[in-house]
Amino acid sequence: MPNHSHHVLQLIHALRFEDLPEQVVAQARRCLLDLCGVAAAGTGTELSRIIRNHAAAQYGATTRGARMLFDGRAVSLPGMALAGAATIDSVDAHDGHVLTKGHVGVTIFPVVTALADAGLIRDGREFLAALALGYEIATRAGIALHATACDYHTSGAWNSIGAAALTARALALDVNRTREALGIAEYFGPRSQMMRCIDHPTMVKDGSGWGAMTGVSAALLAADGFTGAPAATLEDEAVTDCWQDAGRRWTIMEQYFKPYPVCRWAQPAVEAALSLARTHALQAAEIAEIRISTFYEASRLATRHPDTTEQAQYSLPFSVAAALRHGRLGVGEISGPALQDRLTWRLSEDMVISENPAYSQRFPAERWANATIVLRDGRTVQSAPHTARGDAEAPLTDAEIEDKFTAMAEPALGPARCQALRQAIGTLGLGSADSSALPRLLGLLLAAPSE
């Protein structure tokens, strides 16, 4: 076994809260609050309703089960992981990493929560340490997979490895069985084709629910003696650089946060268009034509008249049109009656989207777009090149994360429960308050929205 993979296997079991730098702990709390908001909003989607009912019917609770996020019903650990990750994935507003071209917290948060509800994580410090570790393993696995695979797989493909690592840690598996768990998770992980869902958006989304379920199941299988090693994304010599500084350069610090609940690839174009609307005080009815120049992958987000929120979330023209139509872009603008807004339809239908080769060359490390808007009175205004807001180099502020959480969670949970969630997250890992913070957090996370 290569030295770098032996180091990672040791890290999975040896990492402690005290090993985490202060900024990593603070970032873990930011990720947690952001994901709670997205999960709360997700419970209102048809996708979440279906998957939670499916988990309740097909993945019933065993002697070691967990309650589903904002639901209250107990299911098996794999069932909770499936339902939780799919619920978060149902609203495309969760954090991500540019080099993975995907998302980490969508799987790591529900898996850690499931393990805690099952009594396998016993305090807030261990909860935060597991969260940071999950980001570390899953992010690096994603980068390694992209470096070695010939096509573009969904986040579930590599999130399964992070889920397996966390479950192996919680079960206190030895190093050999942990190695088998990672190999099982990699082999069975859903190597689904992301661009198929980009071209044909449906509820399969980014594969994160299946990846979460697979990873938890992999560790449970390894505990019973099932074999599956090696995980090539960990042990291949070609991916040494992806792993050798694990636990020293913390990848949780490299995550981006989304200001809008749509595909990250569409967000540079949204920013460019909104910058013109704000600078020139534009009204949507004044717009004759919109031209977007962006990178190739973003140009594939081409659904003009989405019938479902999944199609809207993976549509660059509809996202830009809805943002210009309403002056904002939240869950309400990409779901429900907003999908039938005639002015949004006109702006989306008339939008011209073209690839900029210079932008394409900078993807995935950077995502760029610029916008040109032609007005009915003959004027033309053009934006500067824009990236998406919230990248690690220019992160959203704590206040922006708080505001996003409020906008996402309050419609489902109400102000009092949202405030209690903020307080519980803020006291995780803090001295004597930590002992009561995790039970309080679990109670808030796992009860049904109306409770």
Side-chain angles (χ1 to χ4, degrees), residues 50 142 443:
I50 292 171

Side-chain angles (χ1 to χ4, degrees), residues 11 20-21 24 27-28 31 95-100 104-105 108 131-143 158 241-243 245-257 392:
L11 178 68
L20 301 177
V24 170
Q27 181 78 335
C31 291
D95 59 28
H97 189 279
V98 293
L99 296 183
T100 67
V104 182
I108 300 309
L131 197 72
L133 176 68
Y135 275 89
E136 190 77 347
I137 301 300
T139 301
R140 292 172 184 273
I143 296 170
W158 39 270
D241 289 347
C242 296
W243 296 101
D245 61 351
R248 296 190 299 274
R249 176 179 61 83
W250 292 93
T251 58
I252 195 171
M253 303 304 299
E254 300 170 3
Q255 308 299 314
Y256 61 71
F257 294 92

